[in-house]
């Protein structure tokens, strides 16, 4: 056989083997996913504290329409990112995710007025422990969780219905039950989302750009899990300001 690159003849059976395709190890993909999640949490905290410290908090919550607009914007950003992940560039996906984190920070800035800061910090650390344990379980497990998507959806719908009933009828017992159920549910969802983050890697390991985008999508899911775990802990155990 004649090698057109070297201009030499190669004996049959001695053809050079092509170099194996280099792939990013799964741990690097997971590290990037959690890295984006932690960056989003940092942006949420900094934004939230800045809104509180500068007094902008009072302007934000003075108009219910502005608050409603931000909540709607958060829902729209999640929906748009989830539905158009294949179409968006990596930069666009990251921009939407970080914008969502900043908007969440503005909405959560009221927590500085409602809860004692040392108590909130302690519960934040507790949320880190719970989240870390459940995420680790999801990464380690080898069980197939693809069939649990419907169960997770049903659980979230049930939690939403109970939350609405608690808000309408103002039943303190139901509110406590909702908080316990919500905490347990999102701890389980954390394991589910962590396992899916690893599974996504094996689904797209041949597509570097898609891996970067799916990393952002997984980071968003895990970010939402952590925020909900923290908020439910705060509702159950947070020390309110007098």
């Amino acid at each position: 056989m004649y090698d057109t690159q070297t201009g030499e003849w190669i004996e049959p059976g001695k053809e050079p083997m092509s170099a194996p395709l280099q792939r990013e190890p799964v741990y690097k993909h997971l590290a990037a996913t959690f890295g984006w999640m932690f960056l989003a949490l940092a942006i949420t905290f900094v934004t939230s504290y800045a809104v509180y410290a500068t007094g902008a908090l009072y302007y934000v919550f003075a108009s219910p329409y502005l608050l409603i607009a931000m909540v709607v914007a958060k829902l729209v950003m999640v929906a748009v990112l989830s539905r158009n992940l294949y179409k968006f560039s990596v930069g666009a996906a990251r921009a939407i995710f970080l914008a969502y984190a900043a908007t969440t920070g503005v909405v959560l800035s009221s927590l500085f007025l409602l809860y004692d800061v040392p108590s909130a910090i302690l519960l934040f650390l507790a949320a880190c422990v719970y989240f870390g344990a459940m995420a680790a379980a999801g990464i380690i497990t080898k069980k197939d969780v693809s069939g649990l998507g419907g169960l997770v959806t049903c659980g979230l719908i049930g939690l939403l219905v109970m939350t609405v009933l608690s808000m309408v009828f103002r039943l303190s017992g139901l509110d406590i039950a909702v908080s316990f159920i919500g905490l347990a549910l999102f701890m389980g969802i954390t394991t589910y989302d962590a396992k899916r983050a690893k599974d996504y890697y094996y689904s797209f390991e041949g597509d570097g750009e898609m891996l970067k985008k799916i990393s952002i999508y997984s980071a968003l899911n895990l970010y939402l899990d952590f925020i909900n775990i923290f908020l439910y802990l705060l509702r159950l155990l947070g020390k309110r300001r007098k």
Side-chain angles (χ1 to χ4, degrees), residues 2 16 60 98 162 192 218-219 228 236:
Y2 184 74
V60 172
L98 298 181
M162 292 181 66
Y192 170 76
S218 298
N228 278 283
L236 282 170

Side-chain angles (χ1 to χ4, degrees), residues 9-54:
W9 287 93
I10 301 175
E11 296 181 19
K14 295 185 178 181
E15 295 88 350
M17 296 180 63
S18 58
L21 180 63
Q22 295 297 319
R23 291 186 174 91
E24 180 185 66
V26 63
Y27 74 86
K28 286 189 176 181
H29 171 73
L30 292 174
T33 298
F34 282 95
W36 281 107
M37 185 205 106
F38 291 136
L39 175 60
L41 286 175
I43 289 174
T44 298
F45 173 77
V46 170
T47 303
S48 183
Y49 183 77
V51 171
Y52 165 73
T54 60

Side-chain angles (χ1 to χ4, degrees), residues 169-227:
F169 296 103
R170 298 186 179 279
L171 301 175
S172 59
L174 182 58
D175 185 62
I176 294 174
V178 167
S179 297
F180 274 112
I181 294 172
L183 179 60
L185 180 61
F186 276 99
M187 286 175 64
I189 293 176
T190 296
T191 300
Y192 170 76
D193 284 336
K195 178 61 166 60
R196 283 204 309 167
K198 186 172 70 172
D199 291 343
Y200 284 143
Y201 167 82
Y202 294 109
S203 298
F204 299 103
E205 62 178 331
D207 188 338
E209 182 177 2
M210 193 59 203
L211 274 179
K212 292 178 181 178
K213 290 192 284 187
I214 207 68
S215 177
I216 296 299
Y217 177 70
S218 298
L220 172 62
N221 290 328
L222 292 166
Y223 167 89
L224 292 172
D225 296 339
F226 181 91
I227 290 293

Side-chain angles (χ1 to χ4, degrees), residues 103-116:
T103 307
T104 301
V106 176
V107 174
L108 296 183
S109 59
S110 62
L111 296 178
F112 285 101
L113 292 179
L114 297 175
Y115 294 95
D116 182 62

Side-chain angles (χ1 to χ4, degrees), residues 29-180:
H29 171 73
L30 292 174
T33 298
F34 282 95
W36 281 107
M37 185 205 106
F38 291 136
L39 175 60
L41 286 175
I43 289 174
T44 298
F45 173 77
V46 170
T47 303
S48 183
Y49 183 77
V51 171
Y52 165 73
T54 60
L57 168 70
Y58 301 100
Y59 296 99
V60 172
F61 289 90
S63 171
Y65 300 106
L66 180 58
L67 183 60
I68 292 173
M70 285 190 293
V71 173
V72 172
K74 278 160 53 73
L75 295 174
V76 169
M77 281 188 278
V78 170
V80 168
L81 182 59
S82 301
R83 292 178 178 274
N84 299 279
L85 191 64
Y86 286 91
K87 298 178 182 178
F88 284 151
S89 66
V90 175
R94 290 172 177 173
I96 293 174
F97 178 42
L98 298 181
Y100 180 89
T103 307
T104 301
V106 176
V107 174
L108 296 183
S109 59
S110 62
L111 296 178
F112 285 101
L113 292 179
L114 297 175
Y115 294 95
D116 182 62
V117 174
S119 170
I121 292 175
L122 183 62
L123 292 174
F124 180 86
L125 295 176
C128 290
V129 173
Y130 284 127
F131 176 87
M134 302 311 292
I139 292 173
I140 293 172
T141 185
K142 295 182 179 180
K143 292 183 178 180
D144 181 15
V145 299
S146 58
L148 298 179
L151 184 62
V152 169
T153 301
C154 291
L156 290 174
I157 293 174
L159 181 64
L160 178 61
V161 172
M162 292 181 66
T163 301
V164 172
L165 291 175
S166 176
M167 293 173 61
V168 171
F169 296 103
R170 298 186 179 279
L171 301 175
S172 59
L174 182 58
D175 185 62
I176 294 174
V178 167
S179 297
F180 274 112

